Amino acid sequence: MSKGTVVLAYSGGLDTSCILVWLKEQGYSVIAYLANIGQDEDFEAARKKAESLGATKVFIEDLRAEFVEDFIWPAIQANAVYEDRYLLGTAVARPCIGRRQVEIARREGAQFVSHGATGKGNDQIRFELTCYALYPEVKIIAPWRIPEFYNRFRGRKDLMEYAQSHAPADLYLMTKNPEDAPSAPDVLEIEFKIGVPVKVTNVKEGISKDSPLDIFTYLNEIGGKHGVGRIDIVENRFIGMKSRGIYETPGGTILLNVHLDIEAFTMDKEVRRVKQGLGIKFSELVYNGFWYSPECDFVRHCIAMSQVNVEGKVQLSVFKGQVYILGRESPKSLYNEELVSMDVQGDYDPCDASGFIRINAVRLREYHRLQGFPSIKQ
Amino acid sequence: MSKGTVVLAYSGGLDTSCILVWLKEQGYSVIAYLANIGQDEDFEAARKKAESLGATKVFIEDLRAEFVEDFIWPAIQANAVYEDRYLLGTAVARPCIGRRQVEIARREGAQFVSHGATGKGNDQIRFELTCYALYPEVKIIAPWRIPEFYNRFRGRKDLMEYAQSHAPADLYLMTKNPEDAPSAPDVLEIEFKIGVPVKVTNVKEGISKDSPLDIFTYLNEIGGKHGVGRIDIVENRFIGMKSRGIYETPGGTILLNVHLDIEAFTMDKEVRRVKQGLGIKFSELVYNGFWYSPECDFVRHCIAMSQVNVEGKVQLSVFKGQVYILGRESPKSLYNEELVSMDVQGDYDPCDASGFIRINAVRLREYHRLQGFPSIKQ
Amino acid sequence: MSKGTVVLAYSGGLDTSCILVWLKEQGYSVIAYLANIGQDEDFEAARKKAESLGATKVFIEDLRAEFVEDFIWPAIQANAVYEDRYLLGTAVARPCIGRRQVEIARREGAQFVSHGATGKGNDQIRFELTCYALYPEVKIIAPWRIPEFYNRFRGRKDLMEYAQSHAPADLYLMTKNPEDAPSAPDVLEIEFKIGVPVKVTNVKEGISKDSPLDIFTYLNEIGGKHGVGRIDIVENRFIGMKSRGIYETPGGTILLNVHLDIEAFTMDKEVRRVKQGLGIKFSELVYNGFWYSPECDFVRHCIAMSQVNVEGKVQLSVFKGQVYILGRESPKSLYNEELVSMDVQGDYDPCDASGFIRINAVRLREYHRLQGFPSIKQ
Amino acid sequence: MSKGTVVLAYSGGLDTSCILVWLKEQGYSVIAYLANIGQDEDFEAARKKAESLGATKVFIEDLRAEFVEDFIWPAIQANAVYEDRYLLGTAVARPCIGRRQVEIARREGAQFVSHGATGKGNDQIRFELTCYALYPEVKIIAPWRIPEFYNRFRGRKDLMEYAQSHAPADLYLMTKNPEDAPSAPDVLEIEFKIGVPVKVTNVKEGISKDSPLDIFTYLNEIGGKHGVGRIDIVENRFIGMKSRGIYETPGGTILLNVHLDIEAFTMDKEVRRVKQGLGIKFSELVYNGFWYSPECDFVRHCIAMSQVNVEGKVQLSVFKGQVYILGRESPKSLYNEELVSMDVQGDYDPCDASGFIRINAVRLREYHRLQGFPSIKQ
């Protein structure tokens, strides 16, 4: 007699294979669900493996296009960076994967979902908050938090973790070592509309891409070839531990740089300041697993609204791990070469600047007179 | 009969030479003041030129050490970056230069100060707010905002501006083109105390520096050699115009990266979040010329307070325009390898994470139940 | 030969009457424009006075409804309060008045606008930024900043100012002294949709109002009768001076209290936190005169978006200067009495709270272990 | 054989008496700890009751002075208000009570602490985070989250809760109903140094108090007499539930109003803006139980630093639930009556305001020209 049906987020690896078997042992009927978000994987082999391990059904879902459009693009609009450095790769993938998993669970009448994320990490939270938000009655089985499971399998886990965490050089799957990267740059032009890329062109090679998935894939390829987007950081997990993370985000790094540039060119100064604060908030929410929350929803819509005029083309070169902006152009540019030029006065009267400065100084002069500047006695 | 004495911020160039002569013509007695903040300049030639043009006195002031310690170091502590990209080079120099100018003016009994900054830029504001804040009664002569001056000299100015703005390749004085940079990295170790560097060591070459000025100079040299810190951006000036800026900040870029790293390693997560907001505020204030303001003072002291445990060593390599963090160590580290490890449970109970997640989900589940998630209908 | 046409914001008082005459003396053709935003004024007498002083045309514009709907309602949605205390009365009126003035100027082909705001205040800025934003080519004549005018009329101005600033007791036009207010409260019910009031009912008296203007007028009346919304504060003007302000905002104070209440009842906790920050930003922008700016536009739209579920009814009493919330109800309530009750466990497991707390404590315990809590040695 | 010693936060009521007995039943040795933070309680009766129930020791600790100085005063400096309305009474008391409890536990060699806070509330979190932060190895027994306890005692709890939550009129212990308050105001003068009150004088009655505890007690008395500080709100608990709260904070409400006033009078405008943000952060941290956290420590020290010049006297009247500011004076005032006066020009040149406004309009005019103002098409 089955305890019920579980939809398991299955990776094809040893880890979730153990979970699949263990869930069956516990009396559940298991549906294996494998999300394709662009990782390098033999999906058919994974399907066979899941079937051979006793999955009642196997769903292999191609989420690549919706991952780029519904999740990466909003992160680009937000200039999403966690703690000034981390570009949120996995954090953005989790709600995408979880959303489909919940859809499958509802459709298949499964009351349970399960995953292989560990008990000290962020991914368990991102996964589960997504599930609870979109399927409030769901029951979640997190084997790496269940003593009977982890006491039995810990050895194996240790091994896997060991492999991962003691071999950083091998960790990089997408990016070349910058020292081994080509000694000539690639020159690209990326076109934006409403803050998202709509076309990328490799200027010298004449290649161009214009669907979201193709654009992102191509930027990962070019960025990877030139060793762009590797970082080695210490970050603060949501649960309050510091952990070391080694990440590579080649396409994301290019897009962050380029989006910052076209945004600065087309967005009003003060709108940008407000939006910068919202972007930091968005990054924290996504990192912590709150993609599907009212506040993330709200912030995301505000950010999207700010992007209405973020359109134009940016030229850039990619070389030895770096992205260099070469120029930009836009029909919505707020940059007025004449206004800012020394050669042209236009209707700008330099005398106004005197008044502007003196009014700004009213407060400073008063303060000096009345309370003094302690700092000058530093 | 003299109209009074002016202390002129003199650069030795054509621009401020014209101003010197014009001020004399207008009936002022002129003291030329030339600040050495590390720029490449023949100071003695400048002295002779100022004397020959009729300066009553010439002060050449070596501000290099105080520039690094009193101005650059606080900016490093703040991770100061304006509009996500600009590292504030000139913005930080202006209050340093202005502070001394005001000291000279007070000492010499001069009621006037003057400068060669133009009427559409930020530097006029940074300069003048510093002067008004520290010498509230001072009178400022800004020739590029006085019609009699600029109508007469505009041609010349145009020429100078033209030279500057139409030759970006030549603009880079400190940094090599990354394409021409060495094909082997330099590996450095930088040691921090209270958030500022106290020592830099070139690991392979065995060179080390330990005074603030030497450290900063050396990092400029190494960064410059490897083409680190070049940017081409559009930024928003305080007066509300967008302008294009091409900057190089080799030493500053290295220090920003390294300080971010040691800070993340030693600073509590939530302190870092509050401090990040203060750092953005600080950057805006400094960019806009408010170094000497009560609020900048306040923010700077708050930031300094946050740095009390930011200490340790960071290893890094510098290569082809990039800075790579290789590792870090600190007696004040908050990173606990054992706590975060999969291998060790310690007194961390993974079951707690279930409660943590479920409590975080209370609100999300309720929201879904009561008002729904519009976003899912994207 | 006329220098051109000026649209003058005319109040009917001595002050702007002097300006009207002076503008004519200077050779302008003057259109008098008098905005009715609900002030107590004999508009027909003002019309005759303007005509007798030589205005070529007189426009008396009833802006009362648009003032409430387009300006006060968004301020209510924002919970707009400047510097924690000031409810922004005049600051909100200025862009409303300026908008129509600019429309008249465009329609009548006038190149100039003028006003009677003084040279140290906020209103000159609010007025002029509105005009520049909506009519960028307009020329503004601000007589109180023109030496020929203010040197001649200063005496008179002094007199007027004196009258205003030395008689605070008389300053209150709308509100009774709370000590003289009725000794029995009025009990109201206010209904909201999308964050704005759609109906007010006086429960005991059976009166109800349901157009924006009627609602606001009625709340001013009831609030005034009970002495609600008087403050005596020191505030910081945009130009950096502190000034003393004595204000009365009876209807606005009731609405602020009631809107805060229905918002807390229907808005998600974390959305509220983000929106609170936007509301503070909005208040500063409006106070400083930036109603018509890209950033205020952006913030206002974000805030409006947050109000979509802010709907329901609030019961309150108004008594002796105070507003007391008695209760609230809403179809969009996020308050779940059962969830929060001690009597009902539902699917809330108290054990989850243990995990929640222990995970929140991970960081605190580590911090204590590694760096200690200086504060405890206070 | 004892399981060990527990220090129980004992209230003298039925609730914690049950816990005391139950803990003994479970095999613990129980120390009863009763904190006197100013509540109305027969402490000696409580001591006898605890002894009779089997407490091995009873500590009755007078924390009144330290509660005011170490906890309430910093909250006053911060203008601490949670969600725009709640003045944080209990939230501030918990870390004070917990700190002493942990001191007793350490001194007495107890490994356990216990409390009577319920499983859905904020107090459990405030209590336990304090304990974990200051005594990281402590073990916490929270009976209302332990099924064996709450299943047995729930009935009783229900009863107690019922009594509390269905009789709001009786809930007010400190404040009179404003309708029944005196019909003549009390007029006070409160003197501040470094942002905290150092003296209160009842102007008419000639009474004055100058120790922190006496000042706070007196303000509670006067505020209570006039019905000041009652609120009925819906708030968001840390765990994400909305709950209804009925609070009275008579002394705190007076102090909040008065501190806001003296702060506005003596603090620079822009320092105030930064500090306002820190105050909101502080309020959230304290509400959520993070008084003893690195970030709260940091924020508290920043706020304290902002208060160095917050000194002077405020005159106020208290009447029928309201606090009216009558005036203020300070040796550190930044209010300059001459500077702001219309009568005196001083070295303020009104023409500067024209330049100030025109420079502020540069961006707005450009924006209108290039992208237009969507808002005007509202």
Side-chain angles (χ1 to χ4, degrees), chain A residues 356-357, chain B residues 121-130 238-239 288:
Chain A
F356 180 73
I357 296 169
Chain B
N122 290 310
D123 278 341
Q124 56 176 344
I125 308 174
R126 296 164 184 161
F127 175 82
E128 298 182 21
L129 290 184
T130 299
F238 184 22
I239 57 169
N288 288 344

Side-chain angles (χ1 to χ4, degrees), chain D residues 234-373:
Chain D
V234 169
E235 75 195 68
N236 291 292
R237 291 188 185 160
F238 184 23
I239 57 168
M241 292 171 183
K242 288 191 188 292
S243 70
R244 188 180 174 202
I246 291 170
Y247 301 104
E248 53 181 350
T249 329
T253 301
I254 294 174
L255 284 171
L256 172 66
N257 277 277
V258 172
H259 182 267
L260 275 172
D261 196 71
I262 193 68
E263 190 177 87
F265 197 51
T266 54
M267 186 178 283
D268 174 76
K269 177 192 183 192
E270 295 297 322
V271 172
R272 207 205 67 83
R273 282 181 72 206
V274 178
K275 188 255 170 183
Q276 179 181 10
L278 294 172
I280 292 171
K281 183 73 193 169
F282 175 80
S283 308
E284 292 171 351
L285 289 170
V286 172
Y287 183 88
N288 289 344
F290 288 88
W291 185 283
Y292 287 109
S293 67
E295 66 273 24
C296 192
D297 229 54
F298 174 56
V299 168
R300 202 161 58 240
H301 280 94
C302 291
I303 289 172
M305 200 157 61
S306 78
Q307 301 293 301
V308 66
N309 287 320
V310 178
E311 115 177 32
K313 294 173 184 169
V314 179
Q315 295 80 39
L316 63 142
S317 73
V318 186
F319 175 67
K320 292 278 184 192
Q322 269 283 29
V323 178
Y324 297 94
I325 304 298
L326 305 175
R328 72 288 287 171
E329 58 192 283
S330 169
K332 299 288 180 65
S333 164
L334 288 175
Y335 174 69
N336 179 342
E337 198 167 357
E338 208 166 277
L339 176 65
V340 81
S341 157
M342 282 308 301
D343 313 356
V344 185
Q345 189 170 323
D347 70 348
Y348 178 87
D349 181 351
C351 298
D352 288 344
S354 305
F356 180 73
I357 296 169
R358 278 200 291 266
I359 294 290
N360 272 297
V362 164
R363 184 172 58 87
L364 308 185
R365 294 163 77 191
E366 275 293 287
Y367 186 76
H368 184 275
R369 203 173 62 75
L370 296 167
Q371 297 184 340
F373 268 92

Side-chain angles (χ1 to χ4, degrees), chain A residues 282 285 290-304, chain B residues 367 372-378, chain C residues 271 305:
Chain A
F282 175 80
L285 289 171
F290 289 88
W291 185 283
Y292 286 110
S293 66
E295 64 274 25
C296 191
D297 229 53
F298 175 56
V299 169
R300 202 160 60 239
H301 280 95
C302 292
I303 290 172
Chain B
Y367 186 76
F373 267 92
S375 70
I376 217 179
K377 305 155 205 155
Q378 273 167 342
Chain C
V271 172
M305 201 156 60

Side-chain angles (χ1 to χ4, degrees), chain B residues 200-251:
Chain B
V200 57
T201 305
N202 189 317
V203 175
K204 292 183 199 156
E205 303 189 2
I207 296 168
S208 84
K209 308 285 176 184
D210 55 14
S211 80
L213 179 55
D214 287 349
I215 291 170
F216 191 67
T217 305
Y218 186 69
L219 291 177
N220 264 338
E221 184 194 307
I222 292 291
K225 170 181 161 190
H226 291 282
V228 166
R230 291 179 164 200
I231 52 168
D232 173 337
I233 62 171
V234 169
E235 75 196 68
N236 291 293
R237 291 188 186 161
F238 184 22
I239 57 169
M241 293 171 184
K242 288 192 187 291
S243 71
R244 188 180 175 202
I246 292 170
Y247 301 104
E248 52 181 351
T249 328

